[in-house]
Amino acid sequence: MTVVNLENITKVYAMGSVEVRALDGVSLEISEGDYVCIMGPSGSGKSTLMHIIGCLDRPSSGRYYLCGQDVSQLDSTELAHIRNRRIGFVFQQFNLLPRETVLGNVEIPLMYAGVGGSDRRRIAMDALARVGLGDRMHHRPAEISGGQKQRAAIARALVNNPSLILADEPTGNLDTRTGSDILAILDGLNAEGCTIVLVSHDRSVAERARRILHLRDGSVERLEHLRAEEPAERGAESNGHS
Amino acid sequence: MGIAEIVGLALRNLWANKLRTALSVLGIVIGVASVITMISAGSSAQKQITSDISALGSNMIMVTPNLKPGARGRSYEHLLTISLAEQIQAAAPEVSAVSPVAQTEGRLIAGSSSTSAMITGITPAYTRIASSRIALGRSLVQSEVDAAAHSMVLGSRVASDLFGSEDPIGRQVVVVSSGRRATFTVVGMTASRAAVFWFNADTQVFVPVTTLIHRMSPIKRVSSYFCQARSPETTAAAVAQVERFLASAAGTSDAFNVASQQGLVDAVKQVTATMTLLLGTIAGISLVVGGIGIMNTLLTSVAERTREIGVRKSLGACNRDILLQFLSEALVLSMLGGTVGMLLGWLGGAGIARIAGWPVSVDLNSVIAAVSFSTAVGLIFGTYPAVQAARMDPVQALRYE
Ligand SMILES: Nc1ncnc2c1ncn2[C@@H]1O[C@H](COP(=O)(O)OP(=O)(O)OP(=O)(O)O)[C@@H](O)[C@H]1O
Ligand SMILES: [Mg+2]
């Protein structure tokens, strides 16, 4: 099943009289269980593309089908609903709300989904356990390490069982060791069937993915296949391939 | 997202910025407190004054000459006789009693004590019209008026000034007024009663009007006439009859003022209503200022939490969720201010009434008005920041440093 289908997406910013073409005719198809890394120099449009895939932003032109649904036609409330149910964001800056506890942060998407009380708490705790953060859930973000923050952010991204996890340079603010722990969690999630799109500058990070999308000046320079595409619809079966 | 959840979120955010919350609520607190204090104090004062006016007498109508300086005023003075009282009563069937009242200042001497007092000349009808109560002895009688007798009823304050706690009945008092001297015998003393405006019965002494006019006063004129209407319902008719008679007697309608007690009450009510409206408006303006304070706080809060708004939107908050989040903060702020202000205003209103010796009257309408007005202020001034927050572009908000 195709999760993401981008057809000729452009994103143009008008900066006074000058037009900035942040994205210029990008087409991309991502199927369920895929693991795509977007690479490219700074300013090439990686984040812009992630925002469009994540329904935070709308393309200036082109069509975007998310799980078969034409997203370009939806209003802001419907987009919010899609972000809530189908998308899980992981940011470079973690973006945990400082006043909430770790558990409180993970509960936010559930709160906007209308999940209440004890269910919400239980699901959020399960998600935290899944990323190995069961023992820090009552701490505030300021009281935990960068790696732990990113785990919390991943738990928050996971908590509504999204169709797609979008991670924009999730290891950008972490040292190599902690970064590889985080990437291992993402690998594990992909192995369990999660569809993941990752942005990275780092070739060694990108090679964990199945495919690498090379962007340059807003256009697709090259789509590189690293591993045979093996839809992971039945869960973990990625072992034995190279 | 349920209402309880939104309000809970608002409370937590406000709690996290306790000092700022307190300061921004202060404007509303002061606004509401002053609305309620002022309106309550106004209504206490009104109650006091109207009850004082009712205590002046029963169904009383006061007739006073318009003594403007100049030839026009003077030409009516010959009308101010004792017999005009009888003529008024004869001409106005709705008037049950009339007493001429003549007044002059004087010094009273009894043995070694002396005091100054207003010497009021009356007829026996006065006691009934002015609801005067006798504490000791008796009131003046008609035969004393007819004979221009030297009998005197003391106001309670005058009695204590002259005789202390001794029984004044039967004692002699020398009155010195306008260079004349006369000796009076005390026959009674009135019960103490509260002063109303300039009118203090306790610092007066009462003598037969004939004695005052013929033996004491250099002017030989009555000062005013106290009339009594047959019933509260016929007061207006009685006033009209008295006015008509006096207009024909003087040849003009502005020779005399005819004011009923009810008219005074109405006038006072009107004055206090105007004052209350004025004070309420000023207090209302302070409420609006309080609202601007809330708006300022919220705008700051929205700017500070731009990143948070972006994050919440990325996690699935729709514009309505963000709008309600900030709007509920505005409402919690204004209602908190309204509640605290209401309590303070209540205390303030009761305190002022207590100090002034007025009946405590916290006006429920002002409480309802102030609290609902402050809530409305919160809504009005909270809407703009909340809409700003809700309309924020999620990507821009996330990029915000
Ligand atoms: N709001 C905006 N207004 C104008 N131009 C913008 C805006 N947002 C992004 N751009 C431009 O779009 C282009 C792509 O930006 P984008 O953030 O997607 O780059 P990126 O590939 O994520 O870069 P980096 O690796 O530094 O994060 C850049 O040239 C940027 O200046
Ligand atoms: Mg970027």
Side-chain angles (χ1 to χ4, degrees), chain B residues 159-378:
Chain B
S160 71
D161 283 353
L162 292 178
F163 301 107
S165 54
E166 292 170 35
D167 184 358
I169 307 301
R171 306 281 289 264
Q172 306 280 301
V173 173
V174 176
V175 175
V176 183
S177 176
S178 314
R180 293 156 200 251
R181 263 180 104 87
T183 304
F184 286 78
T185 305
V186 177
V187 299
M189 184 185 94
T190 60
S192 175
R193 60 197 288 195
V196 183
F197 309 134
W198 63 93
F199 188 86
N200 187 350
D202 293 350
T203 58
Q204 302 186 35
V205 294
F206 301 92
V207 299
V209 65
T210 45
T211 318
L212 188 72
I213 295 268
H214 301 316
R215 312 251 157 107
M216 301 293 300
S217 166
I219 339 166
K220 306 211 176 294
R221 293 282 172 250
V222 170
S223 322
S224 58
Y225 300 87
F226 281 21
C227 315
Q228 186 172 43
R230 288 193 191 282
S231 71
E233 295 75 36
T234 58
T235 305
V239 167
Q241 289 169 355
V242 171
E243 278 175 338
R244 207 174 314 125
F245 165 72
L246 290 172
S248 72
T252 168
S253 60
D254 47 44
F256 291 92
N257 278 327
V258 180
S260 67
Q261 235 175 335
Q262 192 52 48
L264 269 180
V265 168
D266 292 345
V268 164
K269 277 192 176 157
Q270 200 161 0
V271 169
T272 50
T274 310
M275 288 292 284
T276 304
L277 188 69
L278 188 76
L279 295 173
T281 306
I282 294 170
I285 291 170
S286 70
L287 257 182
V288 172
V289 174
I292 294 172
I294 286 189
M295 178 146 107
N296 183 42
T297 302
L298 278 167
L299 284 174
T300 312
S301 171
V302 168
E304 276 178 3
R305 281 149 70 190
T306 300
R307 190 67 172 257
E308 174 186 331
I309 294 164
V311 172
R312 287 187 182 277
K313 285 194 164 185
S314 78
L315 297 178
C318 61
N319 293 0
R320 185 178 149 274
D321 292 325
I322 303 292
L323 181 91
L324 289 180
Q325 183 184 337
F326 282 92
L327 207 53
S328 64
E329 283 186 29
L331 279 178
V332 168
L333 278 176
S334 61
M335 284 160 82
L336 180 71
T339 311
V340 174
M342 186 182 77
L343 295 175
L344 288 181
W346 200 301
L347 288 176
I352 288 180
R354 194 78 179 268
I355 290 165
W358 300 332
V360 173
S361 156
V362 172
D363 189 36
L364 192 65
N365 285 330
S366 77
V367 170
I368 294 168
V371 172
S372 49
F373 192 54
S374 70
T375 307
V377 159

Side-chain angles (χ1 to χ4, degrees), chain A residues 13 15 20 22 41-49 169 201, chain B residues 396 399:
Chain A
Y13 291 107
M15 298 283 284
V20 178
S42 183
S44 57
K46 305 182 294 292
S47 294
T48 308
L49 184 57
E169 300 195 52
H201 287 294
Chain B
Q396 302 270 327
R399 281 186 199 267

Side-chain angles (χ1 to χ4, degrees), chain B residues 47-81:
Chain B
K47 270 203 180 146
Q48 177 67 49
I49 294 170
T50 53
S51 87
D52 284 353
I53 292 172
S54 332
L56 268 180
S58 53
N59 312 329
M60 195 159 82
I61 297 167
M62 276 152 290
V63 177
T64 46
N66 255 334
L67 284 179
K68 290 180 223 130
R72 262 166 64 80
R74 260 177 216 297
S75 59
Y76 309 129
E77 273 191 25
H78 67 274
L79 292 172
L80 303 177
T81 59

Side-chain angles (χ1 to χ4, degrees), chain A residues 86-208:
Chain A
R86 295 204 178 277
I87 313 285
F89 282 100
V90 179
F91 302 93
Q92 182 178 352
Q93 299 88 345
F94 319 125
N95 278 339
L96 298 174
L97 301 187
R99 275 203 284 272
E100 303 283 346
T101 60
V102 166
L103 183 63
N105 268 283
V106 176
E107 284 187 33
I108 293 172
L110 293 163
M111 177 178 79
Y112 289 122
V115 180
S118 59
D119 278 352
R120 183 158 96 198
R121 184 144 287 225
R122 185 178 47 72
I123 297 170
M125 284 172 156
D126 287 351
L128 281 167
R130 230 169 131 187
V131 298
L133 211 56
D135 55 340
R136 287 284 187 279
M137 57 191 182
H138 296 298
H139 289 65
R140 310 244 162 213
E143 298 158 2
I144 57 176
S145 72
Q148 288 169 331
K149 282 181 202 171
Q150 202 58 299
R151 283 168 197 256
I154 292 172
R156 186 175 67 178
L158 280 177
V159 79
N160 267 344
N161 282 322
S163 314
L164 191 57
I165 290 181
L166 301 176
D168 194 342
E169 300 195 52
T171 59
N173 282 355
L174 301 174
D175 61 59
T176 324
R177 253 196 68 133
T178 325
S180 60
D181 287 351
I182 294 299
L183 292 168
I185 293 175
L186 291 178
D187 290 352
L189 290 172
N190 180 245
E192 288 169 28
C194 286
T195 312
I196 296 179
V197 180
L198 181 76
V199 169
S200 181
H201 287 294
D202 189 340
R203 177 76 202 179
S204 66
V205 170
E207 276 172 357
R208 292 170 172 260

Side-chain angles (χ1 to χ4, degrees), chain B residues 115-169:
Chain B
T115 184
S116 61
M118 181 63 78
I119 302 153
T120 306
I122 57 171
T123 63
Y126 179 92
T127 313
R128 188 153 33 92
I129 299 168
S131 307
S132 180
R133 284 196 302 113
I134 295 296
L136 286 173
R138 58 168 175 84
S139 54
L140 298 169
V141 294
Q142 188 60 41
S143 60
E144 288 167 321
V145 174
D146 294 340
H150 284 74
S151 304
M152 177 179 270
V153 172
L154 299 177
S156 59
R157 177 72 186 281
V158 177
S160 71
D161 283 353
L162 292 178
F163 301 107
S165 54
E166 292 170 35
D167 184 358
I169 307 301

